Structures are given as structure tokens and as C-alpha cells.
Amino acid sequence: MNRAFGFLLSVPLLFVAIFLLLVIHNVKQEEMQFEEYVLKFAIDYSTDAAVEEMLNMSHLGQDYTDQGRTNSDPQVALDTFLNLMCMNYDLPLTEKAKLQIESGYMPVFCVAAYNGYYMYTPTKDSEGGWYLQGTQKIPYAYVVGDKYYALNLGGDNVHLLKDGQLTKATLASQGLEVKEVYRQINSIVSDALMYQFQLSTGRGGEFVYIPSALTTFKRVNPIEGPTVLAFIDGWDFKTTHAISAFSIGGAQIEASRMVAGYEAINPDGSVTKMYAYADLLPENKHVIDMFTSVEEAAKAGYYYDPIFMG
């Protein structure tokens, strides 16, 4: 009787043990998922901040005839990313802390600029330590038959190398579409990013995880403006497990209708500073300053020109 009672008692105890194991497993899974969410959130903020800081430089080098063109400093993007990662995890803003992140947890970091991209990968220094070394700007090279194109994010022109001649051509004259240009740029960056990731980690069978909202570089175009792409691998600060996450931060440069400030000669020979939209002015006008709004032109001492603005 005692044996039968012991056997009957062991059955519910077994179920209780299994239940506790499942609860512990689920708690660990949820904890790990939460840590991955926090890391993803942190690097999303860091990549977005890196792009914003890169675009808030004193001189973007924009050209009125090529409005999509901008200068990009990839080192500014990397420094900003590291600063934000330190702040997100309450790490001190010291060179030692930033070096620890870039040398131990970043197998690849990429900045996609207007007409090329920069790839940062781990490199050994003279003392045996590691740091992220950036490449020179790598162009978005695209070959069609005997034509060699240097693509850009402007969406209106390309540089064409054919028969030893380098010329600037419009997309329409080459039979290229903006979507195709962006698709090729994304494909170029995607392939380079995955290759460097596999080379840096030694895990040739693994691929960079792309957020589900983007699915894959080659089908969706996340890169249509200056973009920062960062991957954190094996992160174990304030986590119970080493985790990884990937993030893309990008921004678009919005084109504004430029206002020109110029000198108008009055009938008595005197000169008045006037303003009008640049695309409405004849070529013979002597333009002194360019502004992004009529308010800025007025503040600078220029007056409304009713002839060209009317």
C-alpha cells in the first residue's frame, strides 16, 4: 500500500518539476529577448544619432546643380555611435570604454555616403590590441557591358567611364532608373558588409541579420541617403548571455528652393540689394549670397524683387 501511495505521489511531483523547469526556461528566454530588445533599441538610437551628427557638420558640400550631393565624415559617425553606446549602457565617455566596444564587439561598421561607402573592420595595432580601421571611400561601381558607372545617391546622374573617357551623364541618357540605381547600391553595400562580417568573425556560414521590416537589402532599399550600418556581436554588458544585433540609421537631405541675394542697379545709378528665387533669375545677375528661405534673405538686408518674384 505504501509503495502504491509513493508511486501515486511521484506522478504529481513529476508534473510540478516539469512545470518549474518550463517556467525557468521561459523566464530565461524572455529575459534574453528583453536584453536583445534593449540592445537593438540602443544601437538604433546610436546609428540615428551618428547620421544626424554627420549631417550637422559645418559644411556639407552641397551643390545647387547637384542637390543630392553631400560631404560625409565617417569618423564623426563612428565617434558619435560609440559615444551613444557608452551613454546607453552607463559607461564612462572615455577612450578606453569606446575602444573596448569597437575592439571587442564591432566586427564591422559601415558608412554609406553620397558617392561611395567606408568600411570599418578590426585591425591590430602595434601593441597587439585591436581597433576599427576605416577604408578609403569605395565607389558604387556598376558595370553594364563595356560601360563602367560610378553611381551615387543623388538619383539624377552618374559618372560614366567608356573608351578611356570619364564623363558625367544623366540617368535618362543611359537608360537607367532611380530604383535600379538604389537597388544596385544596396546590393553592393550588402555584399561588402556580409563579406567583412564573415571575414572578421570567421563564421563563414552566418549572415548579418537584417531587421524584418527591411527583409533584405536586395529587395528593399533602406539606403537612399547618407546611412550608417552597425553590427554589435557578442555583447555581454549588463546581460546574462552574449547577444547580437544589427541596425541601419539613415536620413534624407531635403532640397529647398534656393533664394539668391544680388545687386540691382537703379535708374539713378545707385545699387540696391534684392532677393528672388534663384531659378527665376537671368544668368547676367551678379549673385552675392544664397539663402534657403526668403526670411533669411530679408534678415541679411535684401529686399523683395517684385519683377522676378511677381
Side-chain angles (χ1 to χ4, degrees):
M1 183 69 180
N2 289 335
R3 289 181 181 180
F5 179 76
F7 176 77
L8 292 173
L9 185 62
S10 66
V11 174
L13 289 176
L14 178 63
F15 278 106
V16 170
I18 294 174
F19 174 76
L20 290 176
L21 289 174
L22 289 174
V23 168
I24 293 172
H25 176 73
N26 288 337
V27 168
K28 288 184 177 180
Q29 285 292 106
E30 290 182 1
E31 185 178 21
M32 188 172 180
Q33 290 175 358
F34 177 74
E35 290 170 351
E36 290 177 349
Y37 172 78
V38 171
L39 177 60
K40 184 67 174 63
F41 209 70
I43 63 173
D44 280 347
Y45 267 114
S46 300
T47 52
D48 287 343
V51 174
E52 290 298 322
E53 185 65 22
M54 189 169 60
L55 296 183
N56 284 333
M57 294 187 303
S58 58
H59 180 56
L60 281 175
Q62 289 179 277
D63 188 340
Y64 185 60
T65 62
D66 191 0
Q67 295 182 13
R69 185 180 185 88
T70 59
N71 290 333
S72 298
D73 187 341
Q75 192 60 44
V76 169
L78 177 60
D79 291 341
T80 304
F81 178 85
L82 292 172
N83 286 336
L84 263 292
M85 284 300 295
C86 286
M87 288 188 285
N88 286 331
Y89 280 89
D90 295 325
L91 297 172
L93 287 176
T94 61
E95 292 303 317
K96 183 178 180 180
K98 289 187 284 187
L99 183 60
Q100 187 176 2
I101 294 175
E102 70 173 275
S103 63
Y105 303 100
M106 295 178 64
V108 65
F109 181 84
C110 180
V111 176
Y114 168 76
N115 55 1
Y117 64 96
Y118 304 85
M119 193 70 69
Y120 283 80
T121 54
T123 304
K124 265 191 176 182
D125 59 24
S126 58
E127 299 178 356
W130 293 86
Y131 70 102
L132 286 181
Q133 175 67 50
T135 63
Q136 297 291 325
K137 185 189 293 182
I138 303 172
Y140 304 122
Y142 179 45
V143 181
V144 180
D146 61 345
K147 297 180 179 180
Y148 294 82
Y149 294 106
L151 307 177
N152 60 68
L153 297 172
D156 54 5
N157 61 68
V158 294
H159 280 87
L160 167 65
L161 179 62
K162 184 180 180 183
D163 300 328
Q165 298 289 329
L166 182 64
T167 58
K168 188 175 182 179
T170 63
L171 295 184
S173 68
Q174 299 302 308
L176 297 174
E177 295 184 357
V178 176
K179 289 183 178 180
E180 173 64 15
V181 169
Y182 286 148
R183 192 185 74 82
Q184 289 298 331
I185 290 175
N186 277 267
S187 177
I188 291 167
V189 175
S190 172
D191 292 343
L193 191 72
M194 290 189 180
Y195 171 77
Q196 289 297 339
F197 168 76
Q198 294 173 350
L199 188 66
S200 297
T201 62
R203 304 200 299 266
E206 294 186 20
F207 295 90
V208 175
Y209 170 72
I210 307 299
S212 59
L214 301 177
T215 62
T216 171
F217 277 18
K218 296 184 179 181
R219 294 183 180 275
V220 180
N221 297 317
I223 303 176
E224 295 184 353
T227 305
V228 169
L229 306 99
F231 188 82
I232 295 292
D233 186 43
W235 184 263
D236 55 6
F237 276 122
K238 298 183 178 180
T239 65
T240 56
H241 301 80
I243 53 179
S244 303
F246 176 78
S247 178
I248 299 175
Q252 291 283 351
I253 302 293
E254 294 185 1
S256 59
R257 193 178 187 187
M258 300 299 290
V259 177
Y262 56 94
E263 294 179 341
I265 301 176
N266 300 316
D268 60 358
S270 61
V271 176
T272 303
K273 296 169 69 174
M274 311 290 287
Y275 71 79
Y277 287 119
D279 58 314
L280 300 178
L281 283 181
E283 295 182 359
N284 61 353
K285 287 295 181 181
H286 176 56
V287 177
I288 302 173
D289 290 305
M290 296 292 289
F291 306 95
T292 58
S293 68
V294 294
E295 289 80 9
E296 288 184 6
K299 288 179 181 179
Y302 291 87
Y303 296 91
Y304 176 84
D305 190 335
I307 297 176
F308 295 111
M309 293 285 279

